[in-house]
Amino acid sequence: MQLRQIKVSHFRGIATLDWTPSNSFCCLIGPGDSGKSTVLDAIEALLSSRWFSFTESDFLSCDTSAPIVIEATIGELSRTLKSDERFGLYVRGWTSAGALRDEPEDDDEPVLTLRLTVDATMEPVWELICDRMDDPRTLSNRDRALFGLVRLAGEDARHLAWGQGSVLSRLTGDTDEAAARLAEAYRTARASAKLDEIESLANAAEAAEGFAKGLGAYVEGSYEPGLELGRSGLSSGSIALHDGGVPLRLAGLGSRRLATLAIQKSAIAEGAIILVDEIEHGLEPHRIIGAIAQIKGDQTKAAADNRPIGHVLMTTHSDVALGEAGENSLHVIKTTRPDRLASITTPATPQSFRPLLRFTPRALFARRILVCEGYTEVGLLLGLREHWPTRHGNKPIEQFGAAIADGNGGEACTMALALAKLGYLSALYRDSDDPLSADQQAKLAAAGVPVFEYGGGLYTELAIFSAATDARVQELLQHAREERGDDFIDNNLAAKIDDLNVESIRLGFDSWGLLSAKNGEELRVAISEVAASKGKEKKDKKPWFKDQRLGRSLAPFVWNIAADAPASPLAVTLAAAEAWLYD
Amino acid sequence: MTKAPNLIALGNAAIVAPAGHGKTEIIANIAALGRRALILTHTHAGVHAIRSRMKRLGVHHSAVAVDTIAGWCMRYAHAFPGVAKPPPDTPKTGAEWEQLYQGAALALQVSAVREVVVASYDRILIDEYQDCGGGQHSLAIALSGIVPTLIFGDPMQGIFEFAGATLKWDSEIHPSFPLAGTLNTPHRWNGKNPLLGEWIAETRIKLMKGEAIDLADPRITYRESNDAFDMATLFEGIDGKEGSFAAIHCNKRICYGLAKAASGGYQAIEEVAAGRLNEFATAWDRSTTAERRLQAIIGLLSDCFQQKDLAEGETVDPDEAEMNSALSEIEVGLGVGNGAEAAAQFLRLFRKRPRWKLYRSELWRDAERAVSELAAGRASTMSDAVGSIRQRVSNSGRKLPKRTVSTPLLLKGLEFDHVVVPDASHFAKESKAQAKLFYVAISRATRSLTISSSSRWITLPVPNF
């Protein structure tokens, strides 16, 4: 089963949402309170076989005068759903262009539309919508169970025991024997129940272990059914999965969640719809990657085998998860204020996000993203970022939802544009030695993306050195020598400046003017060109500050240089970027 | 070849099933093999017969869906009305039915609808294929392009030629449904009268070739007579016989005549369309006075009852006189209100008149029920009442009298222990399907068959297949 279209209105923090997911693996991201969990909750309320009790607070602004309406159109229908014994005659058509038609035509995919309505009576009504039928068909919880929904939220230990309606009992098939054995166990003063001797329970436990391992849950010993005493009364719910004698309920959060997900997912043969809240919860980065890779791999394999693929919707705040999920699964949710119109957007050109996901995926969790051209710029701003709070009531930029991202050089412009299209506030911080084309400028202007650059053909190194006093230049050279070694720096400079040898260079920058025909300005240009490795073949390039750490180490010097020369292009540009980040 | 597992391996195929050769059994067996089969037939009676057979064989109800072709098409065509464009209500004319079938076939061209069919059934079986018209045939072809479809039929029982069921087996049916074989075990006569079964099977072959049939065969009873109303044919020897009886004649007026002449010893049964009952309802609904209403009842009366003449020297029975006065009193009530209360009493009482013999009891009973519906206020007109009564009959199937006289069309698909065919020479005078009608008539018999004719030899034209 796959979600083709979801409409939500008047539910919790969402006034309206109309979303047509285009990918079978969706990673929903967005700033806090943007409606991620509400979307998953809405889908669960609509498709889960559980009964939901609604209260006033489930209505937008607690206003019960307008009903909650949640509607979803489901494709990739199972055979059971499509049978005319069930809902075959209610199918609607989903066109290849992604539009809904009440009656299918041509090669439309058969889909079903479900609607959940809750009005002031708080009585939820689930219906199948089909305009050409006179009356909508009410759906029972049994009917809804056919849509194969799995939700992994918070800490849910329900699925780790053989309770009524649990996934484990479905995997087991018949639990009569277990019930009889339980009664017996109760009579023998809760002596050893020897549940592991019941073949069906043992088999289900073994299957569960396999699924859980597949997703990366840690298994200490092996999974087996065991009795959890201490509850009131004895029922099938008292049999719980144990791992090496310890109830799985007590295993690490991550393993427990992965086991729960694996077990639920395995119980649905035909393409489950899987909702996962914050997949990273309780998992180390490598296990996040493992779990996502497994879920995606399952989908790829199902597609290759021509089996139903199902649908995965997950939310995350983890850049590891986002990086592994990949640019094609990227879905950004946004809810406007105060009218609370929610929208979910996907990149028109996902490939523009590949470098972002590789270098700074965390930026996507911000509202406002400053895309920097290269390592030096990213490093420099990250360093300066530590100085800014003193000027802004001790608040870091993160409190304003701002982030600094690496634009990977030439891709920075496209990335900033793509972010703007996704609904982020984005800006570009770049050198001016390689000017933007007229076309790029026009696009950036149209998208409202500010560009912070020094102007006058200045690149970062040149902007810094040009603004620096002699003493500051000397400080910077000294810093470079400490980082790169005296010989490397001095030989570089001597090779560049004809009338200065290594000894003269080591005398200090304030003496250079006396020994060289070049004036101060020319000497600064020369140093900058060497520092940036300008005019060198690629293989010979050895720029001084081109990595994030080195860039970042420049920050204290640059901070002082800018303070000394507040009117310099360097200071003006940095101030503009700072102002934008704090806006 | 004609065992269920073999047939299921065939894909689309046709199985010829002569009367009484275990066709329903095979259909049930095939249906039981798959996940869920769709069985389509033509009449509600057919649906009932198949359902009860499934139940008897222990086939789980979820493993099989049984419907009439018309009912199935109504369901699908109205579920996808945009492409199927069915007539708005239940079709009334042949053209409207055709529109429905063609519409359902059109809906099956839509890929989503095909997916629904694939998800719903893994096998489709269509019964009584010889009764299919062109529209139904296009539907069957459309279905067979989606799910393997087996058709069952008997060209020799194709007696609906007059109604447009004129598909040619070789040139129209077999190209889509290649002939898989002919059922050849006459189950119907096992343990009853195998020799009779043998004679019917032999006769079937001869009829197909247009050969002469010898009626003076020891396996059946032949009476030389040129009079359809020769009561001896109908009654001779019945005293010693147990079981059900049917007299079969192609002409329905003669059937009514026979029922009347037999003084109700054989009961005439009604057509599905119930023309005479509707005629009564229309006459009643048009009448507003007691007199006119009485006329409507009297009209029906004369078509349902035969009055025995007084034997010589016999005087009017005192009971009869009393009954007459009671009826006269009731007649007054026909003018009160809608008159239905009085009519109900009238009809009920009339049954008890000793010298009046009822010979169309189904018609009279339905009239009684309709009148009661009207009297109870469950219908606003007699026509409505008649409609709902007949609908009930059609849904629940009818119970036949012990001795029935009717036409091959109405008795097709039924079986009787003893069958009488009065004046067999009349088959040659039918305008269509003479040999098929004769085959349907004789193959109803399971224990004994009596045929009267002016000549021991009968020859009928080669039938159309």
Side-chain angles (χ1 to χ4, degrees), chain A residues 251-262:
Chain A
L253 175 63
S255 283
R256 201 161 71 230
R257 275 170 53 95
L258 289 182
T260 305
L261 176 60

Side-chain angles (χ1 to χ4, degrees), chain A residues 77-85 87-93 103-110 130 132-133, chain B residues 35-36 61-63 72 75-76 78-84 109-113 115-121:
Chain A
L77 298 172
S78 67
R79 188 180 56 68
T80 312
L81 285 170
K82 273 187 291 189
S83 165
D84 63 11
E85 286 176 291
F87 312 125
L89 300 185
Y90 290 80
V91 297
R92 307 171 103 193
E103 181 176 335
E105 289 173 27
D106 311 324
D107 291 328
D108 293 354
E109 185 198 5
C130 179
R132 56 188 196 278
M133 297 290 181
Chain B
R35 171 168 55 77
R36 185 166 179 255
H61 65 87
S62 67
W72 192 88
R75 214 169 143 228
Y76 268 71
H78 283 278
F80 303 101
V83 49
Q109 306 305 315
V110 175
S111 79
V113 181
E115 282 191 45
V116 169
V117 171
V118 169
S120 304
Y121 318 109

Side-chain angles (χ1 to χ4, degrees), chain A residues 66-396:
Chain A
I68 296 172
V69 182
I70 301 166
E71 202 174 288
T73 294
I74 314 288
E76 200 190 50
L77 298 172
S78 67
R79 188 180 56 68
T80 312
L81 285 170
K82 273 187 291 189
S83 165
D84 63 11
E85 286 176 291
R86 299 280 185 181
F87 312 125
L89 300 185
Y90 290 80
V91 297
R92 307 171 103 193
W94 190 255
T95 69
S96 50
L100 183 63
R101 257 199 282 246
D102 189 62
E103 181 176 335
E105 289 173 27
D106 311 324
D107 291 328
D108 293 354
E109 185 198 5
V111 294
L112 290 170
T113 303
L114 289 87
R115 182 190 291 158
L116 165 64
T117 317
V118 190
D119 62 15
T121 63
M122 305 291 162
E123 195 78 1
V125 178
W126 286 269
E127 292 167 323
L128 205 54
I129 301 301
C130 179
D131 295 341
R132 56 188 196 278
M133 297 290 181
D134 293 337
D135 299 306
R137 175 174 170 154
T138 309
L139 292 171
S140 68
N141 57 345
R142 249 163 222 254
D143 292 335
R144 299 200 302 280
L146 298 172
F147 289 89
L149 182 96
V150 171
R151 172 97 190 253
L152 185 65
E155 302 182 33
D156 191 352
R158 223 168 12 125
H159 293 291
L160 300 177
W162 269 265
Q164 206 182 5
S166 72
V167 177
L168 277 174
S169 64
R170 257 189 285 164
L171 280 176
T172 306
D174 186 4
T175 52
D176 287 353
E177 195 189 344
R181 189 70 67 92
L182 276 170
E184 188 190 310
Y186 191 59
R187 275 195 301 274
T188 55
R190 303 177 189 170
S192 163
K194 291 185 182 161
L195 289 165
D196 54 338
E197 286 174 12
I198 302 176
E199 206 185 333
S200 58
L201 293 185
N203 289 345
E206 194 187 328
E209 181 183 325
F211 301 137
K213 277 181 172 164
L215 270 187
Y218 292 148
V219 178
E220 300 290 337
S222 65
Y223 284 7
E224 69 244 340
L227 206 55
E228 272 217 80
L229 299 176
R231 300 186 186 191
S232 56
L234 217 53
S235 69
S236 53
S238 313
I239 311 176
L241 264 189
H242 285 57
D243 178 5
V246 181
L248 204 56
R249 194 169 56 75
L250 302 176
L253 175 63
S255 283
R256 201 161 71 230
R257 275 170 53 95
L258 289 182
T260 305
L261 176 60
I263 292 165
Q264 287 189 84
K265 186 168 170 280
S266 64
I268 295 163
E270 294 188 73
I273 296 175
I274 301 173
L275 310 178
V276 187
D277 293 70
E278 302 190 16
I279 181 132
E280 65 274 13
H281 206 37
L283 293 178
E284 302 86 334
H286 69 279
R287 291 171 78 198
I288 300 175
I289 291 174
I292 293 177
Q294 177 71 39
I295 296 171
K296 284 182 81 172
D298 286 352
Q299 284 195 334
T300 314
K301 188 157 187 312
D305 296 352
N306 217 4
R307 284 182 291 118
I309 296 165
H311 210 156
V312 176
L313 257 66
M314 64 174 212
T315 67
T316 187
H317 288 121
S318 153
D319 56 352
V320 175
L322 194 54
E324 183 61 27
E327 64 275 4
N328 285 313
S329 71
L330 193 60
H331 288 71
V332 180
I333 178 163
K334 217 175 70 174
T335 302
T336 62
R337 308 293 153 89
D339 40 2
R340 297 237 165 222
L341 308 175
S343 58
I344 294 175
T345 326
T346 49
T349 50
Q351 63 275 14
S352 319
F353 289 87
R354 220 170 284 154
L356 186 67
L357 288 180
R358 184 145 32 103
F359 302 118
T360 36
R362 61 183 171 277
L364 285 169
F365 299 105
R367 273 190 215 109
R368 171 183 291 274
I369 302 170
L370 180 58
V371 181
C372 303
E373 198 163 36
Y375 295 132
T376 321
E377 291 75 24
V378 177
L380 179 59
L381 286 195
L382 285 176
L384 289 174
R385 178 196 151 278
E386 293 168 20
H387 294 267
W388 290 329
T390 52
R391 297 212 288 241
H392 299 276
N394 281 327
K395 285 182 186 153

Side-chain angles (χ1 to χ4, degrees), chain A residues 324-581:
Chain A
E324 183 61 27
E327 64 275 4
N328 285 313
S329 71
L330 193 60
H331 288 71
V332 180
I333 178 163
K334 217 175 70 174
T335 302
T336 62
R337 308 293 153 89
D339 40 2
R340 297 237 165 222
L341 308 175
S343 58
I344 294 175
T345 326
T346 49
T349 50
Q351 63 275 14
S352 319
F353 289 87
R354 220 170 284 154
L356 186 67
L357 288 180
R358 184 145 32 103
F359 302 118
T360 36
R362 61 183 171 277
L364 285 169
F365 299 105
R367 273 190 215 109
R368 171 183 291 274
I369 302 170
L370 180 58
V371 181
C372 303
E373 198 163 36
Y375 295 132
T376 321
E377 291 75 24
V378 177
L380 179 59
L381 286 195
L382 285 176
L384 289 174
R385 178 196 151 278
E386 293 168 20
H387 294 267
W388 290 329
T390 52
R391 297 212 288 241
H392 299 276
N394 281 327
K395 285 182 186 153
I397 57 168
E398 287 74 21
Q399 275 201 26
F400 293 82
I404 293 161
D406 185 344
N408 199 30
E411 291 168 284
C413 178
T414 10
M415 193 187 290
L417 280 170
L419 284 169
K421 250 192 204 148
L422 266 187
Y424 288 93
L425 288 167
S426 68
L428 188 57
Y429 169 49
R430 67 188 303 279
D431 286 353
S432 301
D433 55 341
D434 181 15
L436 289 167
S437 69
D439 177 50
Q440 284 174 318
Q441 288 183 29
K443 279 186 180 157
L444 288 163
V449 178
V451 181
F452 306 115
E453 57 177 36
Y454 314 108
L458 292 176
Y459 47 96
T460 299
E461 288 84 348
L462 186 53
I464 295 171
F465 281 104
S466 299
T469 60
D470 286 1
R472 297 288 183 211
V473 172
Q474 181 59 28
E475 270 178 36
L476 276 171
L477 290 173
Q478 207 47 47
H479 173 66
R481 285 187 182 109
E482 279 161 22
E483 291 290 350
R484 293 288 190 180
D486 293 357
D487 288 351
F488 174 78
I489 299 294
D490 297 341
N491 292 342
N492 264 207
L493 287 168
K496 174 81 182 177
I497 308 167
D498 300 338
D499 46 7
L500 288 180
N501 57 22
V502 172
E503 284 73 33
S504 332
I505 284 169
R506 288 190 175 157
L507 287 175
F509 182 72
D510 51 359
S511 338
W512 293 9
L514 304 170
L515 300 167
S516 172
K518 289 184 160 56
N519 63 21
E521 193 178 328
E522 286 163 344
L523 286 168
R524 283 177 169 81
V525 171
I527 296 172
S528 303
E529 282 179 356
V530 174
S533 273
K534 288 276 169 193
K536 297 253 183 171
E537 290 298 314
K538 200 169 182 186
K539 62 177 170 55
D540 299 326
K541 275 189 188 269
K542 281 179 187 139
W544 295 356
F545 307 116
K546 278 263 187 289
D547 85 27
Q548 261 195 43
R549 187 187 64 81
L550 290 170
R552 193 161 180 168
S553 70
L554 283 176
F557 305 98
V558 171
W559 179 257
N560 292 334
I561 293 168
D564 294 345
S568 65
L570 175 74
V572 170
T573 307
L574 291 175
E578 180 188 344
W580 184 81
L581 286 166

Side-chain angles (χ1 to χ4, degrees), chain B residues 333-363:
Chain B
L334 288 173
V336 177
N338 66 6
E341 184 60 46
Q345 288 177 30
F346 190 95
L347 264 61
R348 214 161 33 234
L349 202 56
F350 209 91
R351 260 184 194 279
K352 296 177 182 150
R353 300 192 73 166
R355 279 199 308 120
W356 294 73
K357 294 294 174 196
L358 182 58
Y359 65 88
R360 283 175 82 171
S361 58
E362 186 185 359
L363 173 55

